[in-house]
Structure formats: structure tokens, C-alpha cells
Amino acid sequence: MSEKSIKNLTPLFFEFSEQSEQEKAGKCTLCPNFCIIKAQKFGKCHVRGYDSSLRPIIPFAGKISALAVDPIEKKPLYHFYPQSQILSAGFYSCNLSCPFCQNYNISTKVDPNAKTISPQEMAEITASSNTIGLAYTYSEPMIHIEWVKETAKLLRARNLKNVLVTNGYISEKAGESILEHIDALNIDLKSFNEKFYTDELGAKLEPVKDFIKLAASKAHVEVTTLVIPGKNDSDKEIGMIASFIASIDKSIPLHLSCYYPTYKYSIERTSPTKVINLASIASKYLEYVYVGNAGLAENNTKCPSCNSLIVRRSGYNTEVVPAIAGMAHGSAACPGCGKKINLVL
């Protein structure tokens, strides 16, 4: 597929009506921003818009900001093919406005001169990478849904895995569309406070909660919350996050990650001790809770019933205990008590 054909990917989730023509504007329905976009302009994400004739355009499809092989644990995914490697493709821009974004150098801009990689080319690159598949990550991938879907289809045909690392801010229809092709997700749940989502991110909480529920019914899901002092780090809020996830499935892993000052935030870095304590609270609701960016905090996976070791982790060095590693796909069970473990092998 040539660069020309990338530009000819059919734009999805745009609406056009007679009123749109009169007002010289159209609407993007990909995410809950539901941007009304005038001719020759883009929506909040800066990558989806309309040309002078009010035709939908996605001119930055396939513009890749980074390409690297990562441990799957770096996504972070701790229960999906542990100790494997995955190719990671990064994008540009985002549909949220997080003032604490840790990848703001790519999420707040688009580089029109960045290398363009077609879905077919990416499938070839992934197939030769000696990894389990491709992670769509670093910046928000779902605003590039047309390219992601096409690439994911090609990878599925090669028996390679598709992983989304996403903020989960997508409309129901678009979410259902992309999940047809995805094997695993790590979804950011940035807070359990509607005001935080509105004031800090320019977004809404409920669509993210809805997408987590939907994704958990379709694929392997893990959730990450970046813990920010004075913003979302109360015992009550972390308890609410954990309780919500447990209402879907208490075996969904939750990652509580330490924030550090970046972009527009100068708030002091989160104390690892604080996050470890919050993890204890979340563990009252959930079977698997992990701590990120906290130095030497233990992140082993243990059986929720008998505490037998399932997966040992030191940083990104991971070892699945032999009794588990030899089990067939979909049948991971504790060697100590036989409890089913939410672990994709």
C-alpha cells in the first residue's frame, strides 16, 4: 500500500447533513467531544477534519512518532503474555488536554514531516520483529482509528496480537468497531471525579467508564491510574476506582502509577509509599493491584486465594513459574490451590 493509498483510507465516524452544508461545518462522532468542524479545520485532536469542500479528511494517518520493541510489561500489561516482547508504534496528538501528560511532546502536536508507514508496511515490520504483535501506544491511537483498524486486520491474518494503550475516550459505536480487532488493552482511568475530567482534561468521565465495561466484555483489559497528589490520591477515590473495576470483574488488574512533574504540572512527585498504601486499599476490592514508577515496590503476581507465587517481576524482568508456564492458553490455574488465574499465556 503506497502513501497515496493511506491518504485514501476511508474516513470513519464523520456526519454530514443539509444543515452542515448550510453552516459550512460537519461533525466528527469518533469520540465524545463530538466536534463541530468547519471547512478546512480540524477538531480538538488536530488530526480529523474537513477540506474546503466539506469532505472528511485524515491527512496524518500512518504518521508514526516512534517505533520500538518493548517488554509487554511496559504497556503496562502484566497478565497478557508475560515475559514477551511487543513492537510499539507511537502516534501524534490526542483528544484530551491533560496538563500532566507524560508524552506531551507528541500528544500536543502533529509533525507533518514524520515518516509515514502504511498498514501493509507495518504488518511486514511487525511480522519480522520477532515479537507477539503490535501495541498502538505512546500517544492516543484511537483518533487514528482508520489506520489502526486496517493494520490490526492485517496482523490478525498473520496470527499476531493487537494491543491498544488508550485513554478510553471514544464513542460507543466507534469503540465497538475497533474492539473487533483488538486482543488486549490498557485503559487510563485518570480519576473517578467528573469535575476532574471536565476541568483538567476537557472531557467527561462516564464515556471512559462505559468503554472499560465494553472492552472488558470483548478483550483482555488492564486499567491504569496515574496517582497525582491533591488531585486523585485520596483513599476514598482510589477505593471508588477499585470498586468500580471490581463491579465489572475483580480479576481485572489495576496499575497505580506514581506521577512526576511534567508539562504544565509542577506538583511534587507522588510518594511511592503513598501509592503502595493506596494499592492496599484497592486490594480490598481487586485480586491484582500493581504499583508503577515506585522503585523497588514488589509487583509479583500471587494467587488471590492461597498467595502462591504465579509471576515474579523485578523491573521489566519477568519469570512465570514453571507450573504455570506449561499450561495451555486460557487455562492458567494456581499450582497451589487450583484457582483460575486471569492470565493470558
Side-chain angles (χ1 to χ4, degrees):
M1 186 179 291
S2 67
E3 185 167 335
K4 180 179 179 181
S5 62
I6 293 178
K7 294 178 180 177
N8 288 338
L9 281 173
T10 301
L12 304 173
F13 305 106
F14 287 90
E15 287 185 359
F16 186 74
S17 65
E18 186 175 329
Q19 184 178 355
S20 298
E21 185 174 6
Q22 295 169 355
E23 296 178 354
K24 298 298 179 186
K27 182 179 182 180
C28 176
T29 61
L30 176 75
C31 84
N33 287 326
F34 294 119
C35 294
I36 303 300
I37 307 170
K38 294 183 178 180
Q40 296 184 286
K41 299 292 183 181
F42 292 95
K44 182 177 180 178
C45 66
H46 305 294
V47 299
R48 307 177 63 80
Y50 288 89
D51 67 11
S52 58
S53 301
L54 269 190
R55 288 182 299 230
I57 54 172
I58 45 171
F60 304 107
K63 294 290 183 183
I64 301 300
S65 62
L67 195 61
V69 173
D70 291 325
I72 192 71
E73 288 80 11
K74 194 174 181 180
K75 296 306 94 189
L77 286 173
Y78 279 11
H79 287 235
F80 186 76
Y81 293 95
Q83 67 189 8
S84 64
Q85 301 282 303
I86 192 162
L87 185 64
S88 296
F91 301 87
Y92 284 99
S93 207
C94 187
N95 56 345
L96 298 186
S97 302
C98 304
F100 48 83
C101 181
Q102 297 178 335
N103 288 320
Y104 69 92
N105 57 321
I106 57 174
S107 69
T108 59
K109 68 177 183 180
V110 178
D111 181 1
N113 298 314
K115 180 177 177 60
T116 300
I117 300 179
S118 74
Q120 283 189 347
E121 289 168 336
M122 186 59 78
E124 293 292 337
I125 293 169
T126 306
S128 64
S129 68
N130 196 31
T131 67
I132 65 168
L134 184 64
Y136 309 85
T137 181
Y138 301 143
S139 189
E140 180 52 48
M142 289 202 288
I143 58 175
H144 305 278
I145 193 170
E146 296 86 356
W147 187 92
V148 171
K149 283 187 67 172
E150 184 63 28
T151 303
K153 290 177 186 177
L154 294 171
L155 293 183
R156 273 278 177 88
R158 294 170 177 257
N159 293 317
L160 293 166
K161 305 303 179 185
N162 291 293
V163 169
L164 269 180
V165 182
T166 175
N167 60 34
Y169 202 58
I170 191 167
S171 66
E172 181 180 1
K173 187 175 180 180
E176 290 177 346
S177 173
I178 192 64
L179 287 170
E180 293 177 17
H181 313 287
I182 301 301
D183 300 289
L185 304 91
N186 187 288
I187 305 172
D188 285 340
L189 182 53
K190 298 175 186 291
S191 170
F192 214 69
N193 184 328
E194 183 68 46
K195 191 172 188 301
F196 180 92
Y197 263 83
T198 301
D199 294 350
E200 301 282 345
L201 318 180
K204 300 174 183 177
L205 170 60
E206 287 301 318
V208 180
K209 292 167 60 180
D210 290 343
F211 182 69
I212 292 173
K213 293 176 187 176
L214 178 64
S217 71
K218 304 284 187 180
H220 176 82
V221 168
E222 303 188 23
V223 176
T224 294
T225 297
L226 183 69
V227 179
I228 307 172
K231 297 290 185 177
N232 63 354
D233 66 336
S234 70
D235 293 2
K236 179 180 179 182
E237 182 158 358
I238 297 303
M240 291 171 67
I241 287 173
S243 177
F244 162 71
I245 297 169
S247 72
I248 303 169
D249 185 343
K250 65 180 181 179
S251 73
I252 293 175
L254 171 63
H255 301 262
L256 297 176
S257 187
C258 291
Y259 146 92
Y260 57 85
T262 188
Y263 193 31
K264 297 180 180 179
Y265 264 22
S266 57
I267 298 170
E268 187 176 351
R269 178 179 176 149
T270 314
S271 161
T273 302
K274 171 71 172 179
V275 177
I276 291 170
N277 290 338
L278 291 174
S280 304
I281 293 170
S283 294
K284 295 176 182 177
Y285 303 89
L286 295 166
E287 293 181 338
Y288 310 103
V289 181
Y290 302 103
V291 174
N293 291 340
L296 298 177
E298 182 180 289
N299 273 322
N300 294 336
T301 297
K302 295 183 179 180
C303 174
S305 292
C306 72
N307 211 39
S308 293
L309 181 66
I310 306 297
V311 182
R312 180 183 289 108
R313 297 184 186 85
S314 177
Y316 294 130
N317 295 318
T318 304
E319 179 187 359
V320 180
V321 298
I324 292 287
M327 292 183 178
H329 173 71
S331 62
C334 174
C337 68
K339 176 181 172 60
K340 183 176 180 181
I341 304 295
N342 179 13
L343 190 67
V344 181
L345 298 170

